Amino acid sequence: MKSQLFTFCLLIFGSLVAFAQPQYEIHLSSKLDNDLYYSISRNGRPLINESRLGFSGNVNLSNFLQHKGTTERRVHQVWHQPWGENKEIVNDYFETVTKFRGENGVKMTIRWRTFNDGIAFRYECIVPQTDNIIINDELTEFNFAEDATSWSIPANFDSYEFLYRKMPLSQLDNANTPMTVRTDSGIYICIHEAALTDFPEMTLRQTQGTRFQAQLAPNPDGYKARIEGNRFVSPWRVILITDSAINLVNSNTILNLNEPCKIKGDLSWIRPMKYIGVWWGMHLGIESWTMDERHGATTANAIRYIDFAAANNIDAVLFEGWNEGWETWGGRQNFDFTKPYADFDMDSVVRYAKTKGVALISHHETGGNVYNYEKQLKKTYRWLADYGIHCVKTGYAGGIPDKHSHHEQFTVRHYRKVVLTAAKYHLMLDVHEPIKPTGIRRTYPNMMTREGVRGMEWNAWSEGNPPEHTEILPFTRMIAGPLDYTPGTFDILFEKTKDSPLHQKWNDNDKGNSRVHTTLCKQLANWVILYSPLQMASDMIEHYEGHPAFQFFRDYNPDCDWSRALQGEIGEYIVLVRRAGNDFFLGATTNEEARTLTVPLDFLTTGKTYEATIYADAPDAHWETNPIAYVISKQTVTAADVLTVTLAAGGGQAISFHEK
Ligand code: NOJ
Ligand code: CA
């Protein structure tokens, strides 16, 4: 077949002012031979070499295609969301739609969008005269033009709770997305997907050298996706391309590729919240989820937590282990989501919280038993709505029945069903052991936050997360969306609990010597950096009681309007600022290296004066040997000032700016 070449070229404007990024040129070309290919270059330098497109399955969606025309358009929109890192978002792209006709009347359209920070494409397929389309494999490739340094977690279809690996692309067998790479010439590329709602997740598999192919999470029967009907639209395949690490953090492209909000009417029940929870004690082993002598979620404890929240400007409280079913933990889970334990008096807890103006977050650990959860979903959500509860934390710690995995199409459909049902009953969601974020929060803003990360809990019962972990996350996992990492553990060395025989017993069973691998001030800074619209202070309230540094969380406003990563390098350090109303909150953290950074305050509103409260590592602080040492100081500042931010090894600094 004659080879046809289509080229689309776009000069990128607009990046100059917003991101201080020089004007550059991304060039996309597509080639149709027997098969279909694309390649990408930037300023004449190849980034992605000829890479295949298409699918294999019960219909031919990859070759014997004929080009049937191309249309182009430029789109510029400004849209708003009820919450987010930024409430106002500019969506500016150049779209190229190429249409193909294949065997037996198959219609395949590839929709390309070029943004100032990357390129995305998706497949839109119609297969006449069929009842279902089976996808055996996705053929999409990302054939990197040169070797580069990569940061990724392994491709695993059940979990994202891994440490990141930094290694040359050429040595990587597989990776989950977002996978971020830095070329020798200083270009940053991040591969991810957007708008994953009815498809298996995409991971990457190395097929040769620096060539990767999409590897979809399989159904137990071996196929990857099954579409009922004769058409489907794939999730977006996204290649972010920037010339600084922080511009990856500042990208809104994943959100822009999702559909506008589909929840109609009043959205006031959707609101960012700060929360505490009966939680950390269980992970340390000194409290329990089951109703025994260590039971955490008792009525008395609930009242204590509600009182603490009310006294400390905290919006909500989470209770885990409040419902029946924890006794069989580790087996096939059959939790009852409307049956509180006998020592948790739901009615009086709800009544008490109302009088104190504190919201409750209910907890639904499914143990992975999605059938059991779906069976109770509507009844449970109605029960919560009747109590006036608007937030649920779900969890899937355990195998999905019938050999299904957490990340395949079957389970993606389950997660979506939960989001839609929750929206109906005005419930916000915080999902643990989730499917990774792909921006669907734009469409369903009740999908607030999720785990999908090796979070704080790992510090309680394993060798923990090393200092650099949270300097990698903003440039990898967080490009996908918010994360419920649950920062804020103040008892860094578990000094207040480690002599408890219960904690010791727990540790003996696991790795022992557990602790948090940061300074105290880094915990504060992570409340700002590790963005979650439901932001938790993870420690037990006893450890905050009367602590001067807890003032930062009291003042912190999770409902930010605007955010900007100011400085940073992957796995090394990051400085990030968010504005909420008239206040600003800045977080800066570093890996194991102590460093001093110069931070101009030009993000502050010109002409205004602010009181900055600075929570800094003490001069002799060190994450390993002296993690708690901190100094709190106050300074009057304006946008013309420049701060010197000194960070201890494994340390951090948090600053709140309050308009005077
Ligand atoms: C794992 C979750 O990540 C954690 O937050 C929760 O406490 C436990 N599962 C129990 O549900
Ligand atoms: Ca987890």
Side-chain angles (χ1 to χ4, degrees):
M1 183 181 283
K2 197 165 134 278
S3 141
Q4 305 169 49
L5 189 71
F6 321 99
T7 57
F8 328 111
C9 173
L10 179 64
L11 254 190
I12 306 298
F13 298 104
S15 52
L16 255 176
V17 181
F19 303 121
Q21 189 170 283
Q23 182 178 317
Y24 61 84
E25 185 183 302
I26 292 179
H27 189 267
L28 165 70
S29 58
S30 172
K31 187 180 108 184
L32 179 61
D33 224 315
N34 246 355
D35 305 320
L36 190 56
Y37 300 90
Y38 75 99
S39 50
I40 297 172
S41 64
R42 181 181 180 278
N43 290 342
R45 188 184 177 126
L47 287 184
I48 301 286
N49 284 341
E50 213 163 85
S51 298
R52 257 195 98 174
L53 293 164
F55 297 96
S56 67
N58 68 343
V59 283
N60 185 352
L61 294 171
S62 66
N63 50 26
F64 303 116
L65 298 164
Q66 281 183 318
H67 180 226
K68 286 290 178 189
T70 297
T71 56
E72 296 177 337
R73 64 177 182 147
R74 173 74 188 250
V75 174
H76 180 90
Q77 300 162 336
V78 177
W79 59 276
H80 297 87
Q81 50 183 352
W83 58 267
E85 298 91 329
N86 296 286
K87 287 205 182 128
E88 180 175 290
I89 305 230
V90 176
N91 189 10
D92 188 14
Y93 61 85
F94 187 80
E95 183 174 85
T96 305
V97 178
T98 45
K99 288 189 188 305
F100 301 95
R101 181 67 61 89
E103 287 180 328
N104 303 320
V106 163
K107 289 180 183 165
M108 180 154 92
T109 296
I110 303 189
R111 191 174 297 271
W112 297 91
R113 288 190 184 162
T114 311
F115 299 82
N116 71 350
D117 56 14
I119 286 183
F121 58 92
R122 74 175 187 196
Y123 303 91
E124 301 170 3
C125 300
I126 302 177
V127 180
Q129 286 149 19
T130 191
D131 295 334
N132 57 64
I133 305 168
I134 309 282
I135 293 191
N136 289 334
D137 264 313
E138 179 163 342
L139 305 176
T140 306
E141 289 180 326
F142 304 91
N143 181 12
F144 290 87
E146 53 182 283
D147 206 354
T149 308
S150 69
W151 287 263
S152 68
I153 54 170
N156 177 302
F157 301 131
D158 276 303
S159 179
Y160 306 104
E161 298 187 23
F162 301 105
L163 293 177
Y164 279 77
R165 306 155 309 169
K166 177 184 180 186
M167 58 167 78
L169 267 178
S170 56
Q171 287 174 26
L172 200 60
D173 288 344
N174 61 58
N176 215 320
T177 72
M179 175 181 83
T180 301
V181 314
R182 181 174 63 209
T183 68
D184 286 348
S185 54
I187 309 222
Y188 295 79
I189 302 173
C190 177
I191 310 283
H192 189 43
E193 59 182 312
L196 170 60
T197 62
D198 188 10
F199 220 64
E201 80 165 355
M202 177 186 77
T203 67
L204 303 171
R205 183 171 61 96
Q206 194 209 72
T207 50
Q208 190 191 29
T210 54
R211 183 191 289 268
F212 289 80
Q213 186 185 335
Q215 178 81 356
L216 304 177
N219 176 280
D221 289 338
Y223 67 81
K224 304 293 167 45
R226 182 193 175 94
I227 286 97
E228 285 79 32
N230 69 353
R231 58 188 66 209
F232 73 97
V233 174
S234 77
W236 291 93
R237 296 346 191 168
V238 187
I239 306 164
L240 298 179
I241 303 165
T242 64
D243 51 15
S244 75
I246 53 168
N247 282 342
L248 286 180
V249 182
N250 291 325
S251 174
N252 291 313
T253 294
I254 298 290
L255 269 181
N256 275 328
L257 288 163
N258 278 267
E259 299 290 316
C261 179
K262 285 193 179 153
I263 305 180
K264 301 280 174 261
D266 171 35
L267 298 184
S268 61
W269 53 278
I270 303 179
R271 61 178 180 114
M273 301 195 293
K274 290 188 282 192
Y275 75 100
I276 48 173
V278 176
W279 181 77
W280 190 232
M282 272 94 99
H283 286 273
L284 292 176
I286 60 174
E287 289 180 314
S288 66
W289 282 277
T290 43
M291 198 177 75
D292 55 21
E293 65 290 350
R294 288 181 293 149
H295 193 205
T298 60
T299 309
N301 227 2
I303 304 287
R304 223 164 50 85
Y305 269 73
I306 291 165
D307 282 341
F308 184 85
N312 287 279
N313 191 30
I314 292 168
D315 305 282
V317 180
L318 161 79
F319 302 109
E320 293 202 2
W322 65 277
N323 64 321
E324 290 191 5
W326 288 90
E327 296 72 25
T328 56
W329 185 247
R332 172 105 172 184
Q333 298 296 300
N334 278 305
F335 285 100
D336 189 317
F337 301 105
T338 52
K339 252 209 191 126
Y341 275 128
D343 61 351
F344 186 80
D345 181 349
M346 184 80 176
D347 289 347
S348 52
V349 170
V350 169
R351 218 176 309 121
Y352 189 71
K354 260 189 204 136
T355 63
K356 292 282 175 174
V358 171
L360 297 183
I361 302 178
S362 193
H363 181 233
H364 296 164
E365 175 55 71
T366 67
N369 189 347
V370 295
Y371 299 134
N372 181 47
Y373 195 37
E374 289 195 14
K375 220 167 49 198
Q376 299 180 53
L377 207 53
K378 279 194 184 154
K379 175 184 160 209
T380 303
Y381 286 5
R382 202 175 305 121
W383 187 73
L384 291 177
D386 289 346
Y387 271 122
I389 292 176
H390 287 294
C391 195
V392 176
K393 170 181 173 179
T394 58
Y396 296 84
I400 310 290
D402 297 340
K403 298 200 166 72
H404 287 295
S405 71
H406 280 72
H407 304 164
E408 60 166 287
Q409 185 185 30
F410 168 86
T411 324
V412 169
R413 283 179 173 164
H414 166 78
Y415 289 125
R416 186 186 52 171
K417 182 173 183 169
V418 171
V419 174
L420 296 184
T421 313
K424 241 182 165 159
Y425 291 94
H426 287 191
L427 281 166
M428 298 181 271
L429 283 172
D430 169 6
V431 182
H432 277 232
E433 297 80 36
I435 188 74
K436 63 190 168 186
T438 57
I440 67 159
R441 61 181 160 134
R442 177 178 181 191
T443 317
Y444 301 104
N446 65 317
M447 180 57 251
M448 306 294 284
T449 189
R450 63 186 96 200
E451 192 189 34
V453 65
R454 189 173 147 116
M456 176 63 75
E457 61 180 1
W458 283 81
N459 291 316
W461 33 253
S462 81
E463 72 280 12
N465 300 338
E468 63 170 16
H469 187 52
T470 51
E471 286 69 60
I472 298 176
L473 295 178
F475 306 99
T476 50
R477 162 64 179 79
M478 287 180 62
I479 291 168
L483 78 177
D484 192 35
Y485 186 91
T486 67
T489 298
F490 274 24
D491 187 18
I492 300 274
L493 300 173
F494 306 159
E495 278 167 332
K496 302 202 165 85
T497 52
K498 74 177 173 210
D499 291 334
S500 149
L502 297 166
H503 185 187
Q504 278 176 359
K505 182 166 158 271
W506 184 264
N507 257 349
D508 289 347
N509 291 338
D510 294 84
K511 299 261 163 33
N513 294 328
S514 53
R515 57 160 293 181
V516 177
H517 302 84
T518 71
T519 65
L520 177 88
C521 284
K522 184 160 166 179
Q523 291 297 310
L524 308 182
N526 277 339
W527 276 322
V528 182
I529 295 168
L530 303 179
Y531 175 71
S532 181
L534 303 174
Q535 187 60 287
M536 186 183 204
S538 51
D539 213 332
M540 298 164 76
I541 52 176
E542 297 86 315
H543 305 160
Y544 296 138
E545 210 73 79
H547 200 302
F550 196 64
Q551 188 59 39
F552 185 76
F553 195 69
R554 259 179 231 125
D555 294 338
Y556 183 66
N557 182 350
D559 189 9
C560 62
D561 297 295
W562 169 92
S563 302
R564 193 63 78 232
L566 302 172
Q567 302 176 22
E569 272 306 331
I570 311 174
E572 295 179 26
Y573 68 102
I574 180 152
V575 184
L576 194 146
V577 67
R578 306 193 191 280
R579 180 177 63 74
N582 294 327
D583 294 338
F584 288 81
F585 301 93
L586 182 141
T589 61
T590 180
N591 60 3
E592 291 200 41
E593 198 179 315
R595 58 186 92 220
T596 299
L597 304 168
T598 302
V599 180
L601 302 185
D602 51 6
F603 53 82
L604 294 174
T605 309
T606 321
K608 309 249 180 199
T609 304
Y610 297 83
E611 180 179 71
T613 308
I614 302 171
Y615 302 76
D617 292 323
D620 58 348
H622 189 289
W623 76 270
E624 200 167 13
T625 51
N626 190 19
I628 309 288
Y630 66 95
V631 180
I632 302 176
S633 61
K634 287 193 190 289
Q635 214 172 303
T636 300
V637 297
T638 70
D641 288 315
V642 175
L643 286 187
T644 301
V645 172
T646 304
L647 309 172
Q653 189 165 128
I655 310 178
S656 60
F657 298 90
H658 187 65
E659 195 186 321
K660 276 193 143 181

